[in-house]
Amino acid sequence: MFAITILGNNSALPAFGRNPTAQVLQTNDNSFLIDCGEGTQIQMSKYKIKHSKISHIFISHLHGDHYFGLIGLITSMSLLNREQDLHLFGPSQLKDIIDIQLKVANTILSFDLHFHPLSDEGEICNTKKMTVSSFKVQHQIDCWGFLFKEKKNPRSIDIEKAKAFEIPASFYDNLQKGESYLTKKGTLIHNDSVTFAAPPPKTYAYCADTLFHTSLVEKVKGVHLLYHESTYLKDLEDRATARYHSTTTQAATIAKMAEVKQLMIGHFSSKYESIEPFLNEAKDVFENTILAVEGSCYKI
Amino acid sequence: MFAITILGNNSALPAFGRNPTAQVLQTNDNSFLIDCGEGTQIQMSKYKIKHSKISHIFISHLHGDHYFGLIGLITSMSLLNREQDLHLFGPSQLKDIIDIQLKVANTILSFDLHFHPLSDEGEICNTKKMTVSSFKVQHQIDCWGFLFKEKKNPRSIDIEKAKAFEIPASFYDNLQKGESYLTKKGTLIHNDSVTFAAPPPKTYAYCADTLFHTSLVEKVKGVHLLYHESTYLKDLEDRATARYHSTTTQAATIAKMAEVKQLMIGHFSSKYESIEPFLNEAKDVFENTILAVEGSCYKI
């Protein structure tokens, strides 16, 4: 599984039933929470995302619509007696904000919270099945995008065939790595005659809040799914630029230039009651576009 | 109008659709927000409480379920270009928590936020029609209750009678203060023959999170409505005491001893799916009890 669930898709203010930004990337092993606007823990409960599955949290920047729900989520995890470690990535001042709020309440968390300040572009996280890299985007304040890359999966063994060739089970690990097997009689069993390739590793790029800038293109080149903010419709490009945000057309232009498989747009301004026009405008430039709709789960 | 709207009634964690603590006291002039758990701004929108009417916010203590929604509400007010002053009362560290979160986002509020740290018991706020006093309650950390007292309303004039006695309009202010009128011919028109008394000033006491302690009784004596927390049912009195909380029976005992007109209980533990049993237990001790139910407006 490699799936994104949208918990919030709005910018700045909650409006028209839409909540501030939060997403969860779920895999078979871990869940990764990306941004955490106010009310995220309530949205998680609504959409059946388990606290206990969240192993890593990534905060793109310190505008409230991207992190005001974090302290509530962390303290709730502690009240529920979480034991497993939690890894938190974000701008360095985030630690001070959490620390002061724990301190005034005399709260000692029930689990170890490992804070990783964002400072350079590059790999920031390496789990059994995933790497995460950070890259800078251009916003009013220090702001980061994240690239999630599944590791290459091992080849799958056709057990029936492997048995037929009398390959011992002790060699199966080598088969998964792509090695061929030499029988005792000196016959070489080619790897691809007993294994088949795993599906290619999935990739997801999250571009947070950003001004339109083409230097993003190489950072998100060819990903399976690109999330690019689209705070405004195309007629408000000047406002988008002034506020370090992007329009539908600009988001779709990055997707097209980066030759991604699919584009997801979100972070809709609270001035818009309907978000449908966003989809039409983006599709005019990049057909394979979807809207970040709260509660929806997009499988990659 | 003197009415309490409940925006959240739960303790610690959001659960079973219940939100953390927040209430609004609405009068004809101002609205007073009392505590502000996460999601309060969303609850305000849901229950049609206008930001712009909130002139004062009172935060009882710095456990997250009572204030994690404050920074989101304040920044939303600013994003909506609020101009009028906002008065905020709370433990002194609350200012640091707000300041650091505004600073990291380079946010300059669109309005003047006046912070009033709580330090002594007594009057903390005096508006045209209301006084508010703070009093200490006993909790794990520094924690405050608030007593809201309407000022005595002026007497109402029976205009028809005043005209019949030929009392000049310029004397109406004096009539409202209770003065009698001496006509040019030397006849004394007794005040109570042309005016009638206004209804007695309303009082509301909010006791925040507190251990059962009878020293509260004199602080809330005879109020129209007493809000007393009742985190647990009576069988968990030991747990309530250990955690500096109260039970149904304890809340009702305070109401009875203080001879209040009505008791409202809330701050229900997230372990309870149904809150109905709370009402029955409290009523066994103090009949005129109501539950703090989200979205309900209780007129005093």
Side-chain angles (χ1 to χ4, degrees):
Chain A
M1 183 167 60
F2 193 92
I4 302 289
T5 299
I6 304 302
L7 301 176
N9 62 4
N10 218 46
S11 81
L13 295 159
F16 304 113
R18 301 194 303 265
N19 288 272
T21 301
Q23 308 184 355
V24 183
L25 169 56
Q26 290 172 285
T27 71
N28 288 330
D29 287 342
N30 305 81
S31 293
F32 301 83
L33 178 64
I34 308 164
D35 280 340
C36 187
E38 183 177 355
T40 294
Q41 63 172 320
I42 291 164
Q43 295 289 91
M44 284 174 66
S45 163
K46 187 172 174 184
Y47 297 117
K48 317 285 185 216
I49 303 289
K50 288 187 178 165
H51 284 193
S52 56
K53 281 284 211 175
I54 304 286
S55 55
H56 298 71
I57 301 178
F58 301 85
I59 301 295
S60 63
H61 66 299
L62 297 182
H63 281 156
D65 54 332
H66 293 255
Y67 86 96
F68 281 167
L70 179 64
I71 184 69
L73 176 62
I74 288 174
T75 51
S76 289
M77 285 173 165
S78 185
L79 286 164
L80 293 168
N81 298 314
R82 178 189 175 103
E83 291 183 355
Q84 73 266 40
D85 291 8
L86 180 68
H87 292 272
L88 173 63
F89 301 78
S92 61
Q93 307 105 314
L94 181 57
K95 184 166 191 306
D96 300 329
I97 293 170
I98 291 169
D99 285 349
I100 188 174
Q101 293 185 87
L102 295 180
K103 188 180 163 201
V104 298
N106 291 341
T107 298
I108 294 169
L109 295 177
S110 66
F111 59 91
D112 285 333
L113 177 64
H114 302 277
F115 182 70
H116 308 270
L118 298 170
S119 58
D120 296 306
E121 295 195 324
E123 187 177 298
I124 54 174
C125 174
N126 190 328
T127 71
K128 195 173 159 200
K129 297 198 172 176
M130 182 94 77
T131 63
V132 188
S133 306
S134 62
F135 54 90
K136 286 201 174 193
V137 295
Q138 293 182 24
H139 197 44
Q140 296 144 328
I141 57 174
D142 188 36
C143 188
W144 298 83
F146 304 106
L147 177 61
F148 297 84
K149 271 189 186 177
E150 253 188 339
K151 289 184 178 172
K152 194 177 171 185
N153 289 309
R155 296 180 70 82
S156 296
I157 301 169
D158 184 330
I159 298 286
E160 292 307 310
K161 283 189 183 170
K163 280 183 179 167
F165 283 114
E166 295 183 345
I167 300 174
S170 58
F171 195 79
Y172 284 4
D173 275 358
N174 305 55
L175 287 182
Q176 287 191 300
K177 289 173 191 160
E179 292 178 26
S180 295
Y181 180 68
L182 188 65
T183 65
K184 285 175 185 164
K185 292 174 185 165
T187 311
L188 188 70
I189 313 294
H190 281 283
N191 185 280
D192 58 10
S193 61
V194 286
T195 70
F196 46 91
K202 308 292 198 312
T203 47
Y204 176 57
Y206 173 83
C207 292
D209 286 11
T210 186
L211 185 71
F212 171 74
H213 63 112
T214 55
S215 58
L216 260 183
V217 170
E218 62 173 311
K219 293 170 183 171
V220 302
K221 194 83 186 174
V223 295
H224 287 91
L225 180 62
L226 167 69
Y227 168 88
H228 194 293
E229 73 125 295
S230 171
T231 307
Y232 299 105
L233 292 173
K234 64 182 179 184
D235 63 321
L236 292 185
E237 188 175 311
D238 288 348
R239 187 183 299 186
T241 304
R243 297 181 180 182
Y244 287 77
H245 284 301
S246 304
T247 67
T248 48
T249 307
Q250 292 176 326
T253 300
I254 296 291
K256 192 175 181 180
M257 292 174 72
E259 298 173 319
V260 306
K261 306 278 184 300
Q262 192 168 40
L263 168 67
M264 182 196 289
I265 53 174
H267 200 260
F268 309 113
S269 164
S270 50
K271 73 190 286 296
Y272 299 104
E273 183 163 355
S274 166
I275 58 175
E276 277 307 313
F278 284 80
L279 188 60
N280 300 331
E281 286 193 4
K283 274 176 173 285
D284 283 346
V285 178
F286 187 81
E287 174 57 31
N288 196 6
T289 299
I290 53 177
L291 294 176
V293 174
E294 284 185 35
S296 293
C297 177
Y298 303 97
K299 287 183 180 143
I300 301 175
Chain B
M1 182 167 61
F2 194 92
I4 303 288
T5 299
I6 305 300
L7 301 175
N9 63 5
N10 218 46
S11 80
L13 296 159
F16 304 114
R18 303 194 302 265
N19 288 273
T21 301
Q23 308 184 353
V24 183
L25 168 57
Q26 290 173 286
T27 71
N28 288 330
D29 288 341
N30 306 80
S31 293
F32 302 83
L33 178 63
I34 310 164
D35 281 339
C36 188
E38 183 177 355
T40 293
Q41 63 172 321
I42 291 165
Q43 294 288 90
M44 285 173 67
S45 164
K46 185 172 176 185
Y47 297 117
K48 317 285 184 216
I49 304 289
K50 289 187 177 164
H51 285 191
S52 57
K53 281 285 211 175
I54 304 285
S55 56
H56 298 71
I57 301 178
F58 300 85
I59 300 295
S60 63
H61 67 300
L62 297 182
H63 280 156
D65 54 332
H66 293 255
Y67 87 95
F68 281 166
L70 180 64
I71 184 70
L73 176 62
I74 288 173
T75 51
S76 289
M77 285 173 165
S78 185
L79 286 164
L80 293 168
N81 298 314
R82 177 189 177 104
E83 292 184 353
Q84 73 266 41
D85 292 6
L86 179 68
H87 293 272
L88 172 62
F89 301 78
S92 60
Q93 307 105 312
L94 181 57
K95 184 166 190 308
D96 300 328
I97 293 169
I98 291 169
D99 285 350
I100 188 174
Q101 293 184 88
L102 296 179
K103 188 180 164 202
V104 297
N106 290 339
T107 298
I108 294 169
L109 295 176
S110 65
F111 58 92
D112 285 333
L113 176 65
H114 302 277
F115 182 71
H116 307 272
L118 298 171
S119 57
D120 297 307
E121 296 196 323
E123 188 176 299
I124 54 174
C125 174
N126 190 327
T127 71
K128 195 173 159 198
K129 297 198 171 175
M130 183 92 77
T131 62
V132 187
S133 306
S134 61
F135 55 89
K136 288 202 172 192
V137 295
Q138 294 182 24
H139 197 42
Q140 295 144 329
I141 58 173
D142 188 36
C143 189
W144 298 84
F146 304 107
L147 177 61
F148 298 83
K149 270 190 184 176
E150 254 189 336
K151 289 183 178 173
K152 194 176 171 185
N153 289 310
R155 295 180 70 83
S156 295
I157 300 169
D158 184 330
I159 298 287
E160 291 307 310
K161 282 188 183 171
K163 281 182 177 168
F165 283 116
E166 295 182 344
I167 300 173
S170 59
F171 194 78
Y172 283 4
D173 275 359
N174 306 57
L175 287 182
Q176 288 191 300
K177 290 173 191 161
E179 292 180 27
S180 296
Y181 180 69
L182 189 63
T183 66
K184 284 173 186 167
K185 292 173 184 168
T187 311
L188 188 70
I189 314 294
H190 282 283
N191 184 281
D192 58 11
S193 60
V194 286
T195 70
F196 45 92
K202 307 294 198 311
T203 47
Y204 175 57
Y206 174 82
C207 292
D209 285 11
T210 186
L211 185 71
F212 171 74
H213 64 111
T214 54
S215 58
L216 260 183
V217 170
E218 64 173 310
K219 293 169 184 172
V220 301
K221 195 83 186 177
V223 295
H224 288 90
L225 181 62
L226 167 68
Y227 169 87
H228 193 293
E229 71 125 294
S230 172
T231 307
Y232 298 105
L233 292 174
K234 65 182 178 184
D235 63 321
L236 292 185
E237 189 175 310
D238 287 349
R239 186 182 301 186
T241 303
R243 297 181 179 183
Y244 287 78
H245 284 301
S246 303
T247 68
T248 48
T249 307
Q250 291 176 327
T253 299
I254 296 291
K256 191 174 181 180
M257 291 173 73
E259 298 173 322
V260 305
K261 307 280 185 297
Q262 192 168 41
L263 168 67
M264 182 197 288
I265 53 175
H267 199 260
F268 309 112
S269 165
S270 49
K271 74 190 285 296
Y272 298 104
E273 183 163 356
S274 165
I275 59 175
E276 277 308 311
F278 284 81
L279 189 60
N280 299 331
E281 285 192 4
K283 275 177 173 283
D284 283 346
V285 177
F286 187 82
E287 174 57 30
N288 197 6
T289 300
I290 52 177
L291 294 177
V293 174
E294 284 184 35
S296 293
C297 177
Y298 303 97
K299 287 182 180 145
I300 302 174

